[in-house]
Amino acid sequence: MVQLYKQPDPSTVRGEGTEGLSGPGANVTYIPLSELENFLQIHKGHTLALLYYGKGFKSLSPDLYPTIQLDLPQLSSPPLAEVWTSARPARYYQEHQFNAAMNDQVAFGCLQLEESGANGLEATAYSAYSRILRFTQELNYPNLLRIWNHFPAINLKQGGLERYQWFCIGRHQAFLECQVDFGRLLPAATTVGTSSGILQVHFLAGRHKGQHIENPRQVSAYHYPRIHGPRSPSFARATLEEIGARKRLFISGTSSIVGHAIQHTGNPSEQTTETLRNLEALFKHAGIGSTIGIRDLAGEGLLKVYIRNPDDLETVQNTLDTRQTEAPCILYLKGDLCRRALLVEIEGILEIL
Ligand code: 3EB
């Protein structure tokens, strides 16, 4: 059985935010809500973004930095928040529906857009991506490293297509206009449906290049055949960031898809195991780890596990063998995955030492 390894004592990554402790670029950690206020105090002026998962949080921040509340209910406890910080002091940027925080190496940005007009989600996704691409060019963070997309009713059919497919069309069009080869352009991503809200897109971009990696067990998403939608999903399976001595792998939402077909319909345990096989193949292909399990990878990581049906939580946890992990390193979230038959999806950030 593949076991997910444990994150080292978080106190070692909660220091004063010096480069030695927390690395260049951006740092990310999950913090129990009970410790959040203190953590934000310590990182005053160095916070890049704050993410809440679920509903009804009272924001602690003065909203200088992107604060994002995603209606992806947490299935495990204690409830956690996700905080991105910077060793160097952060600068902040704001325009209509768009917040960003940056240092001299990376920018973390967030767009929150109401769907409007006849084309709704397609046009809104196009607008979001056009603005992100313009922002990253103009402020000189031209390399996208990681993107997350969230919107409600992702599997709902509207005008002959599912909303996810409309989203893919708008996103694809914006990337197409860059006139850059998709294999070099597209970063790791996640697209998971929320229970409520508007279109929320957040991203990390850098002055340094990321290396985008595909999975030999899976057809590249940007080459998916048209049976999955008129425009293919625009993302890489992973992006490897190298900044100074730091190496970090941003792993896209990964699920029980081999080739381009879903495996194990209706079986959450098998889907989880298939997902782990995909992750192992990805790691091997990226030259980190091999046939060994995730837990054997040196370093530390953060994982998000999205589950469609909360009743599957225990099954998924048992299959991952993480029930004993008293980890603030795994967030279990209820989310709607972009194809109806998908029951579980795993994404992660692995620090490679
Ligand atoms: C898949 O492999 C599963 O459209 O941004 C995973 C990660 C998935 C990102 C996206 C979709 C996306 O096709 C779905």
Side-chain angles (χ1 to χ4, degrees):
M1 180 157 300
V2 183
Q3 198 181 23
L4 297 168
Y5 68 91
K6 203 162 145 176
Q7 190 186 31
D9 178 0
S11 63
T12 58
V13 292
R14 287 183 200 178
E16 289 304 303
T18 63
E19 292 235 343
L21 278 176
S22 45
N27 306 297
V28 55
T29 189
Y30 298 155
I31 294 288
L33 284 182
S34 56
E35 298 172 29
L36 183 60
E37 199 164 354
N38 188 37
F39 184 88
L40 292 174
Q41 192 61 39
I42 292 169
H43 292 83
K44 220 183 169 112
H46 292 251
T47 302
L48 295 176
L50 168 60
L51 289 99
Y52 295 105
Y53 293 90
K55 271 202 334 203
F57 298 104
K58 236 204 256 129
S59 180
L60 288 168
S61 69
D63 288 329
L64 270 177
Y65 44 81
T67 301
I68 307 159
Q69 185 163 167
L70 297 165
D71 192 2
L72 297 165
Q74 298 192 36
L75 299 175
S76 47
S77 57
L80 305 171
E82 176 180 332
V83 190
W84 289 76
T85 58
S86 160
R88 320 227 178 129
R91 285 176 293 117
Y92 301 107
Y93 174 93
Q94 251 178 329
E95 62 178 79
H96 185 51
Q97 303 157 318
F98 189 174
N99 282 55
M102 59 214 123
N103 59 28
D104 54 358
Q105 295 169 320
V106 294
F108 189 105
C110 142
L111 272 129
Q112 311 201 61
L113 301 180
E114 298 275 2
E115 291 169 37
S116 60
N119 305 25
L121 186 54
E122 177 195 350
T124 312
Y126 173 76
S127 163
Y129 272 79
S130 300
R131 287 174 68 179
I132 289 170
L133 290 163
R134 192 168 354 108
F135 169 88
T136 54
Q137 287 299 326
E138 284 177 3
L139 279 88
N140 191 27
Y141 302 95
N143 305 297
L144 284 168
L145 300 169
R146 185 63 169 94
I147 304 192
W148 290 263
N149 308 289
H150 299 287
F151 53 90
I154 190 169
N155 303 124
L156 185 72
K157 231 176 185 174
Q158 288 179 333
L161 293 177
E162 292 197 12
R163 278 166 55 77
Y164 173 65
Q165 297 171 317
W166 287 118
F167 169 82
C168 285
I169 296 171
R171 173 175 61 175
H172 184 273
Q173 183 58 31
F175 275 125
L176 204 60
E177 289 170 9
C178 289
Q179 299 186 299
V180 175
D181 177 58
F182 274 17
R184 286 202 299 131
L185 179 66
L186 303 180
T190 293
T191 302
V192 169
T194 46
S195 301
S196 71
I198 57 179
L199 174 65
Q200 297 169 293
V201 182
H202 60 280
F203 65 91
L204 182 71
R207 303 228 151 116
H208 55 296
K209 280 206 163 64
Q211 185 194 334
H212 308 305
I213 296 167
E214 291 303 302
N215 190 326
R217 291 185 94 230
Q218 301 184 296
V219 173
S220 294
Y222 48 87
H223 288 147
Y224 278 174
R226 284 180 173 246
I227 46 167
H228 302 298
R231 292 291 177 273
S232 54
S234 310
F235 68 97
R237 297 297 176 187
T239 297
L240 182 67
E241 173 191 49
E242 274 189 74
I243 178 166
R246 172 180 229 176
K247 257 185 156 185
R248 186 159 62 169
L249 188 67
F250 294 109
I251 304 156
S252 290
T254 305
S255 58
S256 180
I257 293 177
V258 177
H260 56 83
I262 295 177
Q263 313 291 306
H264 319 295
T265 298
N267 188 330
S269 175
E270 287 295 317
Q271 285 202 9
T272 305
T273 303
E274 197 68 57
T275 300
L276 292 174
R277 284 190 207 110
N278 280 335
L279 290 172
E280 288 186 15
L282 179 74
F283 297 153
K284 192 173 174 183
H285 188 64
I288 54 167
S290 55
T291 54
I292 52 172
I294 294 173
R295 116 181 111 137
D296 299 308
L297 285 169
E300 67 180 70
L302 297 174
L303 296 168
K304 271 181 215 143
V305 180
Y306 302 95
I307 299 178
R308 182 184 292 277
N309 305 312
D311 287 349
D312 291 340
L313 174 66
E314 206 174 305
T315 304
V316 173
Q317 284 181 320
N318 284 334
T319 310
L320 292 174
D321 197 14
T322 60
R323 268 152 69 68
Q324 301 315 313
T325 316
E326 84 290 324
C329 67
I330 305 179
L331 252 177
Y332 286 94
L333 303 171
K334 169 179 155 50
D336 292 333
L337 309 172
C338 60
R339 292 195 217 170
R340 283 166 193 266
L342 288 177
L343 301 173
V344 59
E345 190 171 299
I346 301 177
E347 67 167 53
I349 301 176
L350 287 182
E351 200 84 44
I352 301 160
L353 300 178

